[in-house]
Amino acid sequence: MESSFGEVKVSAEALREFCVSLLSSCGVPDEDARLFVDSLLFSEMRGVKSHGIARLPIYIKRIRVGLMNPKTEIKEISSKGAVSLVDAGNGLAPVVGCWAVDRCVELARRYGIGVVGVRNSNHLGSLAFYVLRATSAHMIGFAISNTAPAMAPWGGKSPMFGTNPIAVGIPAKDELPIVLDMATSVVARGRIRIALSCGEKIPLGWALDEDGLPTDDPAKALKGTLLPIGGPKGYGLALVIDILSGLLTGSSFLEDVGANDDLSKPMRIGHLFAALDPAVFISGDFEGQVDDYIRRVKSSPCKEGERIFMPGEIEFLKMREGKDISLPSNLIDELKKISDELGLTSYFDELLARSGARICYGALEQED
């Protein structure tokens, strides 16, 4: 979708330092701020902009109004063998998410599997960020999370379930790891918000309006409901994920889950992570066999003009395109406003200077 609002390319490293400075000024410890920003940049570099820097302004707002704790204090609630439950203390979800994956890996090395539930958390972002942490430790990684209500039960028109994503990461030896990361809705709600902010329509088939009718208007879609993937199958999957990550962990579930832009209450989102050691099942070279598996799939006959991709491969290729990130000018305006409010205007100016950007006709353009 082309934006009529204009974009600017900024240096990923300069953007990283700028965003870390914003979070640090809000009381987020430096190490946590870097991890948090890395999760957003990970999404940006993979082309998943709905979970990228566009979410930073609302995160900062939630911290500043006291709805999200800048310091993530993780407390273990219960533990039994390979299973653990922790409370995120209403802190930064990427911080507790990475901690939970590392704990899963530790448990899997001891028991063959590790499972960690997380309660009282916030929006987790791209789940691929976490399952890849497991694959880098030669484990199969799993992650699910519930989110704010955006999708109605199949046949209904009032949102009760979130987009409730699921991700699985499978390590390979020489090939790229396989990474399935998908929402249970046709599209992430963040994609609707981006379309609205850019003055664009959305494709029919993404959402219904408040009356349960198909719409291409993002404003009506945000007041209505997203559609599930595969009709009733996506609805069923979203329901199960809500139970396993929300109800089971003691977090909020169904329409009680708080939304990012609802400044009346905490989100109280729940997550469930797992790591599985392939050595428990296969004594040989599992990752080498995954390589062979990938090559067999990719070498199968294709339709004319088509190419077979493995899950997550397109996003990996996107990451290799460069170290610059394109941001819409309206987001740049938001970041400028936040930096002014926090007394960090010079940091914003440095971001533009390091990225070779300039102001032109109310939008930002790249210098030649």
Side-chain angles (χ1 to χ4, degrees):
M1 294 181 293
E2 296 273 322
S3 171
S4 60
F5 281 65
E7 290 187 335
V8 62
K9 282 188 177 181
V10 297
S11 157
E13 186 54 38
L15 182 61
R16 181 176 189 259
E17 295 305 315
F18 169 71
C19 293
V20 167
S21 297
L22 295 183
L23 288 167
S24 296
S25 72
C26 294
V28 178
D30 189 66
E31 184 177 350
D32 290 358
R34 292 186 179 280
L35 183 58
F36 189 99
V37 173
D38 282 347
S39 73
L40 300 181
L41 291 179
F42 172 84
S43 297
E44 287 284 349
M45 300 295 284
R46 288 168 70 84
V48 188
K49 291 186 171 293
S50 60
H51 289 49
I53 299 300
R55 289 187 176 263
L56 184 62
I58 191 61
Y59 290 140
I60 289 177
K61 181 177 286 188
R62 293 186 71 83
I63 291 173
R64 294 180 71 189
V65 301
L67 283 173
M68 189 162 75
N69 291 329
K71 296 181 180 179
T72 306
E73 297 180 354
I74 302 166
K75 179 181 179 182
E76 189 168 59
I77 303 299
S78 63
S79 179
K80 185 176 182 181
V83 182
S84 178
L85 173 66
V86 301
D87 191 300
N90 192 29
L92 279 63
V95 175
V96 70
C98 289
W99 183 95
V101 171
D102 292 346
R103 177 67 170 148
C104 285
V105 169
E106 176 190 336
L107 291 169
R109 287 190 176 127
R110 189 185 315 167
Y111 299 105
I113 189 171
V115 180
V116 174
V118 178
R119 67 167 58 158
N120 195 20
S121 187
N122 289 284
H123 192 270
L124 198 54
S126 294
L127 299 194
F129 184 71
Y130 308 97
V131 297
L132 280 171
R133 199 173 179 94
T135 63
S136 67
H138 307 286
M139 299 282 178
I140 297 173
F142 303 85
I144 58 175
S145 177
N146 66 356
T147 60
M151 189 165 63
W154 185 246
K157 63 178 185 178
S158 179
M160 294 190 73
F161 307 101
T163 56
N164 295 3
I166 179 172
V168 181
I170 301 174
K173 189 173 185 178
D174 297 319
E175 300 288 341
L176 293 169
I178 298 170
V179 181
L180 173 69
D181 180 4
M182 53 175 268
T184 50
S185 56
V186 173
V187 68
R189 193 174 176 87
R191 293 279 298 279
I192 308 287
R193 291 196 183 97
I194 288 175
L196 178 64
S197 68
C198 293
E200 300 166 343
K201 290 187 175 183
I202 61 173
L204 289 173
W206 279 15
L208 305 177
D209 64 18
E210 287 182 288
D211 296 320
L213 301 174
T215 182
D216 61 3
D217 184 333
K220 292 182 178 180
L222 290 173
K223 293 179 180 179
T225 178
L226 300 181
L227 287 168
I229 55 170
K233 295 180 181 179
Y235 149 62
L237 185 56
L239 183 151
V240 169
I241 290 173
D242 192 40
I243 292 173
L244 295 181
S245 58
L247 191 154
L248 181 66
T249 64
S251 301
S252 291
F253 51 89
L254 293 176
E255 66 268 42
D256 294 334
V257 180
N260 249 334
D261 55 359
D262 179 359
L263 299 182
S264 68
K265 63 180 181 180
M267 299 183 77
R268 297 195 72 247
I269 283 175
H271 325 302
L272 193 68
F273 301 91
L276 183 66
D277 187 354
V280 173
F281 297 88
I282 295 180
S283 59
D285 182 10
F286 172 73
E287 293 181 10
Q289 291 186 54
V290 172
D291 279 356
D292 292 339
Y293 185 99
I294 291 171
R295 290 163 189 158
R296 284 180 62 183
V297 172
K298 291 176 67 67
S299 64
S300 64
C302 296
K303 295 184 291 184
E304 185 175 354
E306 296 288 342
R307 173 185 171 187
I308 294 173
F309 292 96
M310 299 303 294
E313 184 181 359
I314 292 175
E315 289 81 3
F316 279 116
L317 296 176
K318 180 73 175 177
M319 291 185 78
R320 292 175 177 174
E321 289 182 2
K323 296 184 178 180
D324 289 339
I325 291 176
S326 294
L327 298 178
S329 59
N330 59 330
L331 176 55
I332 291 288
D333 291 341
E334 279 193 85
L335 296 176
K336 170 67 165 62
K337 181 180 178 182
I338 293 170
S339 64
D340 290 344
E341 292 174 351
L342 296 174
L344 299 175
T345 304
S346 61
Y347 288 78
F348 179 81
D349 293 340
E350 183 180 352
L351 166 65
L352 300 190
R354 289 176 62 184
S355 302
R358 63 185 175 88
I359 298 289
C360 182
Y361 58 81
L364 287 165
E365 284 191 342
Q366 202 69 19
E367 292 272 15
D368 292 334

